[in-house]
Amino acid sequence: MLHDSPQNAGRPETASAAAALPRTGPRCPECLATFESVSPRQLFCSAAHKAAFHNRQTVRGRQLVPLVMAARLTRGGTRGNVVAGRKARRDGDFLMQRWADDDRREGRMSMIDYFALRDRKGFDTLLIR
Ligand SMILES: [Zn+2]
């Protein structure tokens, strides 16, 4: 049987893998690992993490856009169809809190930090139509 070197004895494999990561540099929104970016606008450590993050955001967006818009257009359920507006606001708030909890539990970047990161890197949300 092979023995661990003294400095690795008893440490899980992930500890030595984490030690190989750069200590500085951007953090990947999907895994929060630091990485060396090849371009100033690179946000993710890998194509796989970029795809995973964006696929999840697409699914969430399809659920959330009608709720947020109905809530906003009824001023949170106080104008027009107040029954639909209130339900849209409640359901949207519930989903957003559940997803924030999921992201925290799964070790992903918060949407606040993700938005701030995109903003710092010059991604303009209002230019996308
Ligand atoms: Zn990553």
Side-chain angles (χ1 to χ4, degrees):
M1 177 183 157
L2 295 174
H3 296 279
D4 286 329
S5 63
Q7 64 266 37
N8 286 336
R11 289 189 184 168
E13 194 59 35
T14 52
S16 53
L21 293 169
R23 288 177 183 271
T24 61
R27 285 196 179 275
C28 173
E30 181 69 7
C31 69
L32 293 179
T34 53
F35 64 96
E36 291 184 37
S37 60
V38 294
S39 84
R41 286 169 65 93
Q42 181 182 351
L43 292 177
F44 295 89
C45 72
S46 66
H49 280 182
K50 180 180 181 178
F53 189 91
H54 287 141
N55 288 342
R56 187 173 49 258
Q57 296 308 85
T58 298
V59 171
R60 288 177 176 181
R62 285 180 180 161
Q63 291 178 266
L64 194 59
V65 165
L67 299 175
V68 169
M69 288 190 70
R72 174 65 188 127
L73 295 171
T74 61
R75 303 297 187 265
T78 62
R79 304 284 190 279
N81 189 337
V82 296
V83 173
R86 281 190 200 128
K87 180 164 177 36
R89 187 191 65 206
R90 254 194 330 268
D91 289 358
D93 288 350
F94 175 83
L95 284 176
M96 287 188 281
Q97 185 60 57
R98 185 167 76 189
W99 295 334
D101 294 343
D102 290 348
D103 289 343
R104 192 177 313 106
R105 188 179 56 255
E106 299 295 326
R108 294 188 286 260
M109 187 176 284
S110 76
M111 282 304 111
I112 300 165
D113 291 345
Y114 177 68
F115 178 78
L117 174 65
R118 286 178 51 88
D119 195 48
R120 279 195 311 275
K121 289 194 175 257
F123 291 90
D124 189 341
T125 307
L126 299 179
L127 288 179
I128 303 169
R129 289 194 64 100

